[in-house]
Amino acid sequence: MSRLLLISFALTACIISVTRAQPILVPVSTRYITTAISTLSQGESKTFIASLCQQFLGETVNSTVLLNNNTSWQPNMGVVYYYIVDDPSKTEKDALCSNTDEAGIPGPYCIVPHWPSTKDLYLKATAGEVAAISFSIHVDVDKDQNVQNKKKDNVNDANARKDYVAPVKQSYSRRHLNADTEYLTEIVTVETNQRLGYLQEALLEITFCPNPFTTDDYKITSTVFGTDGISSYAQYICEKLPCEVDGPNVVGYNDMQVPNNIVDLTTQSGQYSHIYVLVVCWAGQYDPSFPPSGNYVGEFQYSGSLKINAPVTIK
């Protein structure tokens, strides 16, 4: 009898350990985009702002401008000249990068190998001497694991410390936006397609950046979607750790086991700027080689975005 009890206790312990297994930590990638076509008249200038939330010191910034009607960047068809700075008062002489080469010929790309501060990004664009130049913008921030490990040391460095301040909750007002200024939309994704075994969990840590366009009245849309046509997922969103399916820190969830799982979080006080997303796999293709001894495996991608709750007309 005692032996049976011991076996029962051992099985119970095993079940508990599987249920509470640590989720797989999945790195995320942050990008900033225009969500509509931008058009500048001849010689017109505009500043596009990426709110960085003081979190990308030392990381690589890759920006791309796509000319919708001039993919080959022929000057007689209309081009855009742009440069990037970390302060709105800075000019081209302070540029961290520009899209012109040594001969002054413009192209789509501008790269800052090491973002120098905890300030926001300002992309200052000017249209060439052709009317109605249409374009879109895509800015990627590439997380460097070595940089992540050194961030605490960086803020103790005298040069870095002068730009470093603790995050402060700001009071935003759309009334102060200029017509020649546009805030880019922040999109968070996983860096590559992720494979997850049946009932395994993945954990994503995400920081969103409210700004004077979104204000504190915004919506976060969190989407997990299968990329293999056969897998399904549930997701749970937490404000803090631990983030568990049935835990007290869950602030939003979609427990439907579906291939395209969406959760919307709405706030008027900005309290969801830093969240954890727990992804649970519920189906997939059987893979006999998947550890520990074969499993049904799903493959997924993730997209999270921060948007205003309702369209706003700025006068």
Side-chain angles (χ1 to χ4, degrees), residues 48-90:
F48 297 86
I49 306 172
S51 299
L52 301 185
C53 279
Q54 304 174 335
Q55 63 174 328
F56 294 122
L57 174 65
E59 295 175 2
T60 301
V61 172
N62 294 276
S63 63
T64 305
V65 168
L66 171 65
L67 298 179
N68 298 86
N69 301 314
N70 184 13
T71 55
S72 59
W73 283 74
Q74 298 179 37
N76 61 346
M77 295 179 64
V79 296
V80 171
Y81 299 87
Y82 74 92
Y83 61 92
I84 288 176
V85 290
D86 65 346
D87 189 283
S89 64
K90 291 183 177 180

Side-chain angles (χ1 to χ4, degrees), residues 99-308:
N99 73 322
T100 54
D101 61 17
E102 293 180 355
I105 299 174
Y109 307 114
C110 180
I111 299 174
V112 182
H114 303 284
W115 190 251
S117 71
T118 56
K119 297 178 181 179
D120 290 342
L121 179 150
Y122 299 84
L123 188 154
K124 298 190 174 185
T126 301
E129 299 304 317
V130 174
I133 301 173
S134 296
F135 60 95
S136 57
I137 295 174
H138 185 136
V139 178
D140 269 318
V141 182
D142 295 334
K143 288 185 176 294
D144 184 329
Q145 191 60 49
N146 293 326
V147 170
Q148 293 293 309
N149 294 335
K150 294 178 180 177
K151 272 191 172 182
K152 291 182 180 179
D153 296 331
N154 283 345
V155 298
N156 292 324
D157 179 80
N159 293 327
R161 191 169 58 245
K162 66 182 180 181
D163 282 330
Y164 182 85
V165 291
V168 176
K169 190 171 183 62
Q170 303 180 49
S171 177
Y172 296 124
S173 172
R174 295 187 183 111
R175 292 177 297 176
H176 301 298
L177 295 181
N178 297 324
D180 59 352
T181 298
E182 179 178 334
Y183 278 84
L184 299 173
T185 297
E186 181 184 4
I187 305 290
V188 177
T189 65
V190 296
E191 296 178 353
T192 59
N193 289 356
Q194 297 295 312
R195 302 187 77 220
L196 201 60
Y198 174 65
L199 291 186
Q200 284 187 341
E201 300 174 351
L203 184 66
L204 289 64
E205 182 179 3
I206 299 171
T207 298
F208 287 105
C209 301
N211 57 55
F213 180 66
T214 62
T215 71
D216 284 335
D217 182 12
Y218 58 81
K219 178 176 72 173
I220 290 173
T221 299
S222 177
T223 306
V224 179
F225 53 96
T227 59
D228 53 8
I230 197 172
S231 56
S232 60
Y233 304 90
Q235 67 165 313
Y236 303 82
I237 299 177
C238 304
E239 282 191 285
K240 59 183 179 179
L241 296 176
C243 188
E244 300 171 340
V245 169
D246 55 354
N249 297 328
V250 174
V251 294
Y253 66 92
N254 183 344
D255 57 359
M256 299 293 291
Q257 303 147 14
V258 290
N260 193 55
N261 189 291
I262 301 174
V263 174
D264 287 326
L265 287 179
T266 300
T267 176
Q268 294 181 328
S269 58
Q271 77 265 35
Y272 298 135
S273 60
H274 190 86
I275 60 173
Y276 298 87
V277 179
L278 187 70
V279 179
V280 184
C281 178
W282 277 93
Q285 183 74 38
Y286 185 75
D287 183 348
S289 66
F290 195 83
S293 57
N295 200 349
Y296 290 91
V297 181
E299 187 172 284
F300 75 90
Q301 257 288 350
Y302 175 83
S303 175
S305 61
L306 183 153
K307 299 178 181 178
I308 59 174

